[in-house]
Amino acid sequence: MTEKPTGNHSKTILYIIGGLAFMAALVFGFNSIGLKSMVETMKPLVEFLTPYMAFPERASEHSLKMDAMMVAVHLLMLVLFLGWSAYFIYVLIRFRESKHPKADYLGAQNKRFTTLAEFGVIAAEIVLIACFAVPLWAEVVVAEKFPQKSDNPVIVRVVAQQFGWNTRYQGKDDTFGKQDVRFISPENKFGYSPTDNAGNDDVVPPFNSMTVPTGRPVIIYLSSTDVIHSYKVVPLRICQDAIPGLVIPMHFKANKPGNYMITCAQLCGDGHAKMRGFLNVVSPSEFDKWLLDSAPKPKTTNAPPVNLE
Ligand SMILES: [Cu+2]
């Protein structure tokens, strides 16, 4: 009767448990530091690498976090590239034909180094996903992280069409007019009810233009009238698909005034390349003035007075 090699099994199980505990401790450690302070620590490095990595300018609060993650991912890739390249060159020299004319069919027996290296890479990748990517993603999409009413957000409705962007702001009453799909027409892309007075003071900027203030959160409710488009402003590091039949919210806080291009990031038809708008980021006081100046003027009639006699 042969004995079962139980010793090896329990050793493997111990390694797995040890590995998992190590990863959990690593993730817990990094998460307790927090995304914000990790990004703050990396800030000088990100700024130093910005020209070398050709990062576009940063114009929103979360853009530094995204660039910090890009730097972290690229640093890991650099370490992997240098490490594996060095190992490759070492193997080429160490096992060259002149010293080893006959191939060894068993190959390397000691795999401790490569196994350790593999687990190191896995640990680094888990930290990147669990401590950078997921918390950053959560900040953007989780409902609790959306700006609340007390944060005084600017609310904008954006409807994409082939090929451009329609935008609409709440007027003085802080309420949009009622919408219904039955009212959608080439002149009424948002489908606003002509009989609902709440929409009378809504601000409708010219086609393909949008204005937001710095320092105040902006919530965009994004939709499309025809095909799938994607609202993308590179300096703000925002990109969201606009899907017909769905209204998708997104939020950001701009922190640098400027005129930034809104591009469509989904191939949406033959005019896709020309589908661009402009997002004007201005100071809060300039924004208030712009909103006031853009408000619809009370309707005046040019009809001649009716003679009632
Ligand atoms: Cu498009």
Side-chain angles (χ1 to χ4, degrees), residues 24-228:
L26 215 61
V27 169
F28 180 77
F30 272 98
N31 263 347
S32 60
I33 300 170
L35 181 66
K36 207 175 164 191
S37 40
M38 273 197 287
V39 171
E40 280 304 314
T41 317
M42 286 182 70
K43 196 178 171 184
L45 180 67
V46 177
E47 268 161 11
F48 170 73
L49 288 174
T50 291
Y52 303 105
M53 289 182 71
F55 283 138
E57 62 181 316
R58 287 182 280 275
S60 69
E61 269 194 356
H62 69 274
S63 52
L64 183 74
K65 292 178 190 165
M66 295 197 57
D67 290 1
M69 194 175 85
M70 292 291 271
V71 166
V73 170
H74 279 80
L75 283 182
L76 174 64
M77 292 305 132
L78 181 71
V79 169
L80 289 185
F81 174 73
L82 293 178
W84 290 128
S85 300
Y87 182 67
F88 178 60
I89 291 164
Y90 165 76
V91 166
L92 282 183
I93 297 165
R94 170 81 171 73
F95 301 105
R96 62 189 184 277
E97 196 192 6
S98 59
K99 284 274 173 190
H100 302 268
K102 198 166 182 293
D104 175 2
Y105 299 104
L106 286 174
Q109 296 301 295
N110 184 355
K111 291 179 179 155
R112 196 173 294 161
F113 167 72
T114 46
T115 310
L116 260 178
E118 289 287 0
F119 275 97
V121 174
I122 293 171
E125 281 172 356
I126 286 179
V127 166
L128 274 180
I129 293 169
C131 308
F132 256 107
V134 173
L136 192 51
W137 176 241
E139 270 187 28
V140 179
V141 296
V142 171
E144 291 82 53
K145 304 269 187 180
F146 261 74
Q148 303 299 309
K149 219 170 174 153
S150 55
D151 301 319
N152 192 22
V154 176
I155 298 174
V156 195
R157 280 183 179 166
V158 175
V159 165
Q161 69 173 80
Q162 285 175 319
F163 297 94
W165 309 94
N166 304 277
T167 54
R168 192 164 174 127
Y169 295 71
Q170 296 168 324
K172 266 182 278 165
D173 60 357
D174 279 346
T175 318
F176 284 109
K178 282 198 178 70
Q179 286 172 291
D180 195 299
V181 72
R182 286 172 298 164
F183 299 124
I184 292 177
S185 68
E187 295 76 40
N188 186 2
K189 290 284 178 193
F190 289 88
Y192 279 101
S193 163
T195 54
D196 182 38
N197 290 333
N200 287 352
D201 65 343
D202 286 4
V203 173
V204 184
F207 189 52
N208 274 332
S209 74
M210 202 175 146
T211 299
V212 296
T214 51
R216 255 176 87 184
V218 178
I219 304 178
I220 293 179
Y221 289 95
L222 186 64
S223 193
S224 167
T225 54
D226 36 45
V227 297
I228 298 176

